Amino acid sequence: MVTPAHTQTPPRRMRSLRQLLDTQFGRFAMVGAAATGLQYLLLIVFAELTPLTPVASSALAFSLSALFNYLANYYLTFQSNKRHTEAFSRFAVTALIGLLINTLVFYLAQLVLPHYLLSQCVATIITLISNFLLHKYWIYK
């Protein structure tokens, strides 16, 4: 039986994906995507299964996913040898600013949007942009 050509994954495309994931940037992107997925999963769990408000659920989900993001980037992406006291303190400042932006935008979006997941989408986009700008113009400049 022959598999139709349109359902086969070209070996070159697979090699390109493998090469991307073997790069530091590829691992950074994968960790970021996983952290975002974890944040949304935790948000749903906290908002639906606990007495926490959606705003508190969003803040807690952001904080826990930021911790995952730090540890995964420390060990997997950058394979850092820095002491956690030094590396985490720099990360914590950025994460705290991100938490404040995420929580404020989420709160404001909740006032006008019908569902907390829509509010989190808006908060994620704004936080992503501000986080990138902080990294580019403050942390690494």
Side-chain angles (χ1 to χ4, degrees), residues 62 66 90-100 131:
F62 180 94
R90 291 180 182 181
F91 178 85
V93 170
T94 303
L96 182 59
I97 293 169
L99 172 63
L100 294 172
N131 199 21

Side-chain angles (χ1 to χ4, degrees), residues 113-133:
L113 294 173
H115 197 273
Y116 68 88
L117 285 176
L118 293 174
S119 299
Q120 188 60 61
C121 289
V122 173
T124 298
I125 291 167
I126 300 299
T127 304
L128 174 67
I129 293 167
S130 63
N131 199 21
F132 173 78
L133 293 172

Side-chain angles (χ1 to χ4, degrees), residues 8-127:
Q8 295 177 350
T9 304
R12 189 176 69 172
R13 188 177 295 167
M14 290 299 290
R15 280 194 306 270
S16 296
L17 179 60
R18 172 63 107 178
Q19 288 170 341
L20 176 63
L21 294 178
D22 284 342
T23 67
Q24 193 174 58
F25 176 78
R27 290 189 305 271
F28 182 78
M30 179 109 84
V31 166
T36 301
L38 178 62
Q39 179 184 359
Y40 277 74
L41 175 67
L42 291 173
L43 169 62
I44 293 167
V45 168
F46 296 148
E48 299 294 332
L49 302 178
T50 72
L52 293 174
T53 66
V55 173
S57 296
S58 175
L60 182 57
F62 180 94
S63 299
L64 293 174
S65 69
L67 181 60
F68 166 80
N69 188 301
Y70 168 76
L71 291 171
N73 276 315
Y74 183 90
Y75 290 109
L76 300 175
T77 303
F78 299 107
Q79 300 165 352
S80 181
N81 292 323
K82 281 191 174 189
R83 298 177 136 201
H84 284 289
T85 53
E86 183 181 351
F88 187 76
S89 62
R90 291 180 182 181
F91 178 85
V93 170
T94 303
L96 182 59
I97 293 169
L99 172 63
L100 294 172
I101 292 168
N102 176 80
T103 304
L104 177 63
V105 172
F106 184 89
Y107 172 77
L108 295 173
Q110 280 271 237
L111 298 175
V112 296
L113 294 173
H115 197 273
Y116 68 88
L117 285 176
L118 293 174
S119 299
Q120 188 60 61
C121 289
V122 173
T124 298
I125 291 167
I126 300 299
T127 304

